[in-house]
Amino acid sequence: MKAEFDLVLRDAIVMTPNGREAIDIGIRGERIAGLGSLAEESSEKTLRLPGLTVLPGVIDSHVHFREPGFIHKEDIETGTQAAVLGGVTTVLEMPNTSPPTTSAGDLQDKLARAHGRAYTDHAFFVGATVDNIEELFKLEQLRGCAGVKVFMGSSTGSLLVEDDATLERVLMATQRRVVVHAEHEPRLKARKRKAESMGHPRAHPEWRDWETALTATKRLLAIASKTGRCVHVLHVSTAEELEVLSRHRDLATVEVTPQHLTLRAPECYEKHGTFAQMNPPLRDGKHGDALWKAVREGVVDVIGSDHAPHTIDEKKRPYPSSPSGIPGVQTLVPLMLDHVNAGRLTLERFVDLTSAGPARVFGISGKGRIAVGYDADLTIVDMNKKQRIEQNWLASRCGWSPFEGKIVQGWPRVTIVRGRVVMRDNQIHVPIGRSARFCGTL
Ligand code: DOR
Ligand code: ZN
């Protein structure tokens, strides 16, 4: 007779919607099929996990995997390898590739490229441009579409929606979540000279200053209010934006990144130079403290890595011709668990920000919690393990991280995607990733 479960996980602490529980997890096929005290003979296989903690699979809703067009920086295979080594089970990928993901064909191409090569489940954002607004409604319904991305300020790539009228049309043309890079393009253009004349990345937060971010975020909120459409504000980086966003929780959800929470200007620019250059910039302690306050007070919905790899040679170009972006999909979990161990947030809050939060914001079906009937996506961590982040552990093709050499406490040990072990103790297995499903689409 066939056993009730294919796999049972035992002896771990499990983070369920009830809190921390010392229970077994029974997996049948791709789903969680039983929770509680499960009989020995109920399963074909057993994985004993003493001393470990099982979290719902971590969803990184902000990665740039560069394929097609820039595969010398990263591709879907190396990017998702980095993801599973870092305990991430699902990624939502950004459209500023070459070509940018702006049509059904572009989306289909990315899904085809991911097939048989992706280690995580995945979906792809479609980029909004002045030219594809009429098609957005159709595009966002397609399988494998995560939502719609808008760049209000120029960053890596050519995607840009600069004016309020076009932004309003984008919001009116769509139903799914619109995610926004909020930097005010006219102010960026007007202040670029600052960066050029200083010629050092410590100018980056002065060029792309708090007002550049705040102006765009306020414009965005005004249009969200006018259209009645909720938006998701990516990589929020300033105290001023958080103050405004905290008064508009009915209009906007909020993402912050581990690097904005962890690194501080000016030290990061002295230590890492252009390797700490990203958009919007890493800023000083006043803003960092405000980000942590917003994490604790529930203003932040999601932690996304904004994994944005560029090669070492590219980053070594003299500022500001050096590209902006920092890799992070592999270091999100270790860095944030280290913050948990340091008492800056609870493990419950971490789960809320990296599983439940993204599932809620993007309407991802069957993911984001450990519950019967949900996908068996699990991030299994050792909260006590102290480990140095080493270059030879990093799988990203870019080959570097600003966190190299940092010792953290808290480390991913096993990554399970829909019931299959895809990483165990730094060994990665088969690329069984599939497109994630979303409520309201086929
Ligand atoms: O620093 C950044 N890098 N910010 C972005 O908005 C884009 C990203 C990239 O793709 O390199
Ligand atoms: Zn990004």
Side-chain angles (χ1 to χ4, degrees):
M1 197 182 89
K2 194 167 167 4
E4 188 178 1
F5 305 111
D6 302 317
L7 174 65
V8 169
L9 311 185
R10 298 184 183 279
D11 305 333
I13 298 296
V14 181
M15 298 296 288
T16 77
N18 303 312
R20 260 162 236 251
E21 298 190 272
I23 53 171
D24 308 321
I25 303 177
I27 297 169
R28 189 166 55 236
E30 303 190 333
R31 303 225 166 130
I32 297 168
L35 292 170
S37 189
L38 307 175
E40 282 293 335
E41 62 280 4
S42 66
S43 180
E44 297 279 331
K45 277 196 247 161
T46 299
L47 192 55
R48 294 200 175 272
L49 305 164
L52 302 186
T53 306
V54 185
L55 313 174
V58 168
I59 301 167
D60 187 347
S61 52
H62 190 164
V63 302
H64 300 262
F65 283 167
R66 309 303 194 200
E67 181 175 352
F70 306 105
I71 58 173
H72 64 289
K73 301 175 198 266
E74 192 78 285
D75 66 29
I76 292 170
E77 190 171 355
T78 55
T80 57
Q81 284 175 344
V84 295
L85 283 165
V88 170
T89 56
T90 298
V91 294
L92 306 185
E93 206 262 351
M94 289 296 171
N96 57 337
T97 43
S98 182
T101 320
T102 55
S103 71
D106 299 327
L107 178 67
Q108 197 43 53
D109 178 51
K110 278 197 175 175
L111 286 165
R113 287 166 180 275
H115 185 78
R117 288 172 63 232
Y119 288 80
T120 60
D121 281 356
H122 46 267
F124 300 97
F125 287 99
V126 163
T129 73
V130 276
D131 302 317
N132 73 350
I133 297 177
E134 264 77 60
E135 290 148 62
L136 285 176
F137 182 71
K138 192 181 79 214
L139 290 175
E140 67 175 10
Q141 307 299 322
L142 297 174
R143 186 180 66 85
C145 179
V148 174
K149 167 90 181 257
V150 169
F151 282 92
M152 291 175 74
S154 314
S155 194
T156 303
S158 57
L159 290 170
L160 189 62
V161 172
E162 223 178 316
D163 62 293
D164 287 1
T166 312
L167 186 53
E168 183 175 333
R169 284 176 59 212
V170 170
L171 288 182
M172 290 304 286
T174 49
Q175 271 183 3
R176 300 273 306 277
R177 189 60 63 154
V178 173
V179 306
V180 183
H181 180 122
E183 288 188 290
H184 186 58
E185 184 67 14
R187 193 170 167 91
L188 283 183
K189 283 203 185 108
R191 294 170 67 85
K192 176 123 201 230
R193 269 173 286 121
K194 257 187 196 311
E196 284 157 356
S197 66
M198 279 175 75
H200 188 280
R202 76 174 79 84
H204 208 54
E206 290 190 40
W207 167 26
R208 309 178 85 109
D209 67 347
W210 62 270
E211 223 176 317
T212 305
L214 179 66
T215 306
T217 295
K218 279 183 162 168
R219 279 174 49 211
L220 175 64
L221 287 172
I223 301 165
S225 173
K226 186 175 172 196
T227 55
R229 292 271 293 124
C230 292
V231 291
H232 183 61
V233 190
L234 299 168
H235 39 45
V236 174
S237 63
T238 68
E240 291 80 4
E241 288 172 281
L242 288 163
E243 197 279 316
V244 179
L245 287 163
S246 72
R247 290 187 280 108
H248 293 91
R249 297 315 321 274
D250 53 332
L251 294 177
T253 50
V254 171
E255 176 199 75
V256 298
T257 75
Q259 53 273 31
H260 284 102
L261 289 168
T262 308
L263 298 174
R264 292 282 168 274
E267 298 84 0
C268 62
Y269 299 109
E270 305 308 330
K271 184 168 175 199
H272 303 288
T274 54
F275 291 82
Q277 177 193 335
M278 69 169 291
N279 303 330
L282 303 177
R283 303 187 195 276
D284 66 21
K286 171 193 143 180
H287 298 292
D289 291 349
L291 293 182
W292 277 112
K293 182 164 174 279
V295 165
R296 276 191 297 272
E297 293 181 345
V299 174
V300 179
D301 296 274
V302 165
I303 287 182
S305 73
D306 194 6
H307 177 79
H310 298 284
T311 66
I312 292 174
D313 281 349
E314 290 165 341
K315 287 298 253 183
K316 277 188 175 160
R317 285 186 209 140
Y319 181 83
S321 52
S322 42
S324 292
I326 298 175
V329 71
Q330 196 171 342
T331 47
L332 183 157
V333 171
L335 282 177
M336 293 310 300
L337 294 184
D338 190 61
H339 287 308
V340 169
N341 275 316
R344 295 187 189 102
L345 75 167
T346 63
L347 192 58
E348 288 79 358
R349 184 70 175 114
F350 172 80
V351 168
D352 185 47
L353 290 163
T354 56
S355 294
R360 167 171 51 81
V361 167
F362 296 101
I364 306 175
S365 309
K367 295 193 187 292
R369 66 205 310 221
I370 295 178
V372 168
Y374 271 61
D375 287 355
D377 291 352
L378 303 165
T379 298
I380 302 171
V381 302
D382 182 345
M383 288 305 291
N384 296 315
K385 185 170 169 158
K386 289 203 176 83
Q387 173 75 46
R388 188 188 297 272
I389 295 174
E390 308 265 18
Q391 201 267 341
N392 66 7
W393 172 69
L394 299 170
S396 170
R397 184 161 291 145
C398 75
W400 63 276
S401 159
F403 301 108
E404 252 170 81
K406 187 178 169 71
I407 295 171
V408 294
Q409 184 181 350
W411 198 258
R413 292 283 304 277
V414 184
T415 306
I416 296 181
V417 174
R418 280 177 290 99
R420 301 276 293 275
V421 174
V422 290
M423 185 281 286
R424 186 167 185 186
D425 291 328
N426 299 336
Q427 297 301 310
I428 47 187
H429 302 301
V430 269
I432 49 106
R434 233 182 25 209
S435 59
R437 292 155 294 129
F438 295 85
C439 309
T441 68
L442 291 173

